Amino acid sequence: MRLSNRQLRTLIGIGAIAAPTVHTLTDIAELLSGGFSAPQLWANYVAFSIVPFAVMGLYAMQRPAIGAVGLLGALLYGFSFVFFTHTTLYALAESVADYSSLWSRLGDIYTVHGLVMIIGGLAFGAASYRARVFPGWTSIMFCAGVLVNLFLTVLAVPDVLQTLGSALRNLGLVGMGAHLVVGPTAGPSAR
């Protein structure tokens, strides 16, 4: 079965809406409960599993305008979420209590993948903004979230504020996905 362009746009859009939305909800659940829970981690696992496909789909919907930097950014961002998906399973298997404990246990390998996410996210966000396929605010929110995560990590700020960066990133992705579902089917978007 071959999907039409409209069906493919809708499928990618739904993935780009659903995964970041569920991720944000799991972050809120973690904050409210003061740590991880099995249902929250399983929902997070599903969301993280979809992110690489959603981001690659968002990249594909911007071709050729997004260019090689956009491809590299999407690949790096997606790759980091393959690792983060694994960390969710690790937290489940090892009964890790919270995000700080998870990062403490995984150490440098977690930090390296966080840096990959930041580099990839900034490259993808900047290339998306330049491509002008999605509304400009979506790329701005996405990049702002990546930068918030970077600065708060460098400053060793509590996890609650890290959730703000993730929420901004996710809002940008949701906006891109919504544009695919309800926006025009061709041409650059208005800024």
Side-chain angles (χ1 to χ4, degrees), residues 34-104:
F36 293 155
S37 69
Q40 174 261 332
L41 287 171
W42 280 114
N44 198 58
Y45 174 76
V46 171
F48 279 10
S49 297
I50 296 168
V51 168
F53 299 102
V55 171
M56 289 308 299
L58 292 171
Y59 158 78
M61 291 290 106
Q62 297 180 80
R63 288 188 61 238
I66 193 168
V69 170
L71 174 59
L72 179 63
L75 287 169
L76 291 174
Y77 193 82
F79 172 78
S80 69
F81 272 85
V82 170
F83 174 77
F84 296 143
T85 301
H86 162 75
T87 67
T88 303
L89 291 179
Y90 177 86
L92 279 162
E94 297 294 319
S95 300
V96 178
D98 55 30
Y99 179 75
S100 294
S101 300
L102 178 65
W103 196 351
S104 176

Side-chain angles (χ1 to χ4, degrees), residues 153-187:
T153 298
V154 169
L155 297 174
V157 173
D159 298 342
V160 66
L161 293 178
Q162 286 290 343
T163 300
L164 173 63
S166 295
L168 291 173
R169 282 192 341 256
N170 289 338
L171 179 60
L173 292 175
V174 167
M176 291 177 193
H179 184 77
L180 286 177
V181 173
V182 299
T185 58

Side-chain angles (χ1 to χ4, degrees), residues 84-148:
F84 296 143
T85 301
H86 162 75
T87 67
T88 303
L89 291 179
Y90 177 86
L92 279 162
E94 297 294 319
S95 300
V96 178
D98 55 30
Y99 179 75
S100 294
S101 300
L102 178 65
W103 196 351
S104 176
R105 286 192 191 188
L106 296 174
D108 290 342
I109 191 75
Y110 193 93
T111 302
V112 167
H113 284 84
L115 289 172
V116 169
M117 189 241 356
I118 288 166
I119 293 165
L122 290 174
F124 176 74
S128 293
Y129 185 82
R130 191 183 68 242
R132 298 183 158 289
V133 173
F134 298 124
W137 71 266
T138 62
S139 300
I140 291 169
M141 287 305 226
F142 182 77
C143 287
V146 171
L147 289 172
V148 165

